[in-house]
Amino acid sequence: MTNILKSTLLLLFTVVFFASCSDDNGSNPILKSPTTFHLNTPALATNGVYDLANSNVVELTCTQPDYGFPAVTKYTVQVATKPDMSDSINLPTTYTTAKIQINALDLASTLTTMKLTQGLTEKDFPVDMPVYFRLKANQLTADGTTIPGMEILSNVVTLKDVHLLFSLPPVKLPTHIYVTGSFNGWSWDTALDMVPVYGTDGIFWHLVYIDNSGIKFNTATAWDGGEVGFAKITVDDASELKSQIVDGGGNIASNTPGWYLMVVQCTLDGRNIRYKVTFNKPNVYIMGPVTVKGDWSELEDAALMTVPTDANGQFVSPAFSKSVPGGTGDGVRAYVKVPGFDWWKAEFMIFSGKIVYRGKGVDQDHVAGTAGQSLYLNFTNETGEIK
């Protein structure tokens, strides 16, 4: 009885299956590559004014390309300032409905950048201009993958009168500059974070080992297009070691590999940041009661630290001339001399085995030292000790 029941159910399933297939063959839609794609002209396109600063969105509508059946479609907005779309840019936001609402502020920012590229400056704004739009449609699979061969462009529509204010945020001086190079295997993970000079904006310093492969710097720890090489800097004529700095295949390189006191001064030129870089001798000094003079004189020859010959070597100070208690009393102090600034505006000290820079901060804690000890510093891995 069980076998008879199983056989009956199997037969019924087979009949239903073939009947379904027979129905599908008659009704399944046929996928086809579209030949037309229509973007509708907005109601205000000809006689209205689009004031982007006082709008939330710019709305476009279209008719889905004829794929033979309704399909999941990704729409990309292309915007241009020329009627032939020769300068078109794809806006970053994409859409999956035929009603497209473009963020007006994002559009204003894109158009501002385009006009700056064409030679306008901030003082030339506001601008009243026609703006041209086109859509690119791509059919998608159920998991969002673009189907090859199904891309199509729409017609172009014109917004005749767009009122555009300057719509980019102000450019600010960088708060960080990071240096990478052959000294650390070109890794941004271990890049040197240059030290701001106390009381300044846009002036940074660091001891850097530069060889014939060179270095680059950036305001971010990434290869994001913002990195600065030789072509993007001005080498300060006052640099003590200017003749040693060369173009190393686009990098800031040296024809005399070694250590440099590198000072970067950033200034704003319109919306551009200019970098004037000074390359001086890598002089590092101890300061205060532990020196031979035992006072607060700058650039004391007997307080100058020795310079290593390789990127991972240690700078070593002369032996301390006397003991200092640290804490609330006198302590070991160290600094580099940034031209034009007092020594303490570029000072630093060792805490828990790490070099800690004063930067823009308050006076550092005082660290104890014993007569006969020395200060040891590694500026590549930012470590040090007193021993």
Side-chain angles (χ1 to χ4, degrees):
M1 181 66 179
T2 301
N3 290 336
I4 293 173
L5 179 59
K6 288 181 177 179
S7 298
T8 301
L9 290 173
L10 179 59
L11 179 60
L12 289 172
F13 174 78
T14 303
V15 170
V16 171
F17 175 78
F18 281 109
S20 299
C21 289
S22 176
D23 291 343
D24 285 346
N25 286 337
S27 62
N28 272 353
I30 299 174
L31 177 64
K32 63 181 182 180
S33 181
T35 58
T36 60
F37 174 29
H38 186 69
L39 173 61
N40 300 319
T41 300
L44 298 178
T46 303
N47 298 316
V49 176
Y50 285 82
D51 184 353
L52 297 182
N54 293 297
S55 303
N56 293 321
V57 297
V58 173
E59 185 172 290
L60 301 176
T61 60
C62 66
T63 301
Q64 185 181 85
D66 183 10
Y67 296 114
F69 57 90
V72 179
T73 305
K74 178 178 75 174
Y75 299 103
T76 301
V77 179
Q78 298 182 339
V79 61
T81 65
K82 299 179 180 180
D84 63 357
M85 302 297 291
S86 59
D87 66 340
S88 66
I89 291 178
N90 290 344
L91 297 182
T93 302
T94 58
Y95 307 83
T96 55
T97 68
K99 182 178 180 180
I100 294 165
Q101 294 189 323
I102 305 167
N103 183 284
L105 293 180
D106 291 344
L107 176 59
S109 177
T110 298
L111 291 171
T112 299
T113 300
M114 294 174 76
K115 298 306 288 185
L116 292 177
T117 301
Q118 294 169 11
L120 268 65
T121 62
E122 186 171 352
K123 63 181 176 59
D124 295 318
F125 289 78
V127 176
D128 293 293
M129 55 188 282
V131 176
Y132 306 91
F133 290 94
R134 182 173 64 191
L135 297 184
K136 179 176 67 176
N138 292 94
Q139 189 181 3
L140 304 179
T141 63
D143 64 357
T145 302
T146 298
I147 300 175
M150 292 294 151
E151 179 177 299
I152 186 171
L153 295 174
S154 76
N155 56 299
V156 176
V157 300
T158 305
L159 304 188
K160 185 177 180 180
D161 192 356
V162 174
H163 185 66
L164 177 65
L165 300 181
F166 189 85
S167 301
L168 296 179
V171 176
K172 298 181 179 179
L173 291 172
T175 56
H176 288 273
I177 290 182
Y178 303 96
V179 182
T180 189
S182 61
F183 69 86
N184 72 335
W186 297 98
S187 169
W188 289 114
D189 292 335
T190 56
L192 298 175
D193 188 356
M194 295 193 76
V195 187
V197 176
Y198 184 91
T200 71
D201 291 319
I203 304 179
F204 304 84
W205 70 270
H206 210 286
L207 273 297
V208 184
Y209 188 87
I210 306 176
D211 61 12
N212 53 15
S213 296
I215 61 169
K216 275 189 167 77
F217 62 83
N218 198 352
T219 57
T221 52
W223 297 107
D224 61 358
E227 55 271 10
V228 176
F230 186 83
K232 293 183 180 180
I233 69 169
T234 298
V235 179
D236 187 357
D237 287 336
S239 297
E240 296 171 341
L241 304 177
K242 179 180 179 179
S243 63
Q244 298 178 12
I245 300 301
V246 296
D247 185 350
N251 300 326
I252 303 166
S254 170
N255 59 23
T256 309
W259 283 93
Y260 294 80
L261 172 58
M262 177 173 159
V263 181
V264 178
Q265 181 175 356
C266 311
T267 56
L268 294 179
D269 179 11
R271 297 193 62 79
N272 297 311
I273 299 175
R274 305 297 183 191
Y275 300 98
K276 183 169 73 172
V277 187
T278 305
F279 298 91
N280 281 351
K281 296 176 182 178
N283 291 341
V284 183
Y285 300 86
I286 54 174
M287 170 61 86
V290 297
T291 69
V292 172
K293 285 186 176 180
D295 60 18
W296 303 96
S297 301
E298 290 188 1
L299 307 180
E300 180 184 340
D301 288 341
L304 186 63
M305 301 181 72
T306 61
V307 180
T309 57
D310 63 281
N312 289 302
Q314 291 184 311
F315 288 69
V316 182
S317 77
F320 303 154
S321 63
K322 64 176 289 187
S323 298
V324 286
T328 57
D330 286 326
V332 179
R333 311 286 286 270
Y335 70 99
V336 300
K337 179 63 175 178
V338 175
F341 296 93
D342 293 333
W343 71 271
W344 56 270
K345 294 187 176 183
E347 71 168 313
F348 54 89
M349 191 35 60
I350 301 302
F351 297 93
S352 301
K354 302 293 284 186
I355 301 175
V356 178
Y357 301 95
R358 178 171 184 172
K360 292 188 175 185
V362 298
D363 194 9
Q364 293 183 299
D365 291 338
H366 296 177
V367 174
T370 302
Q373 288 184 316
S374 292
L375 176 64
Y376 296 78
L377 302 170
N378 183 317
F379 284 102
T380 293
N381 59 27
E382 306 276 45
T383 59
E385 59 182 332
I386 294 174
K387 62 180 182 179

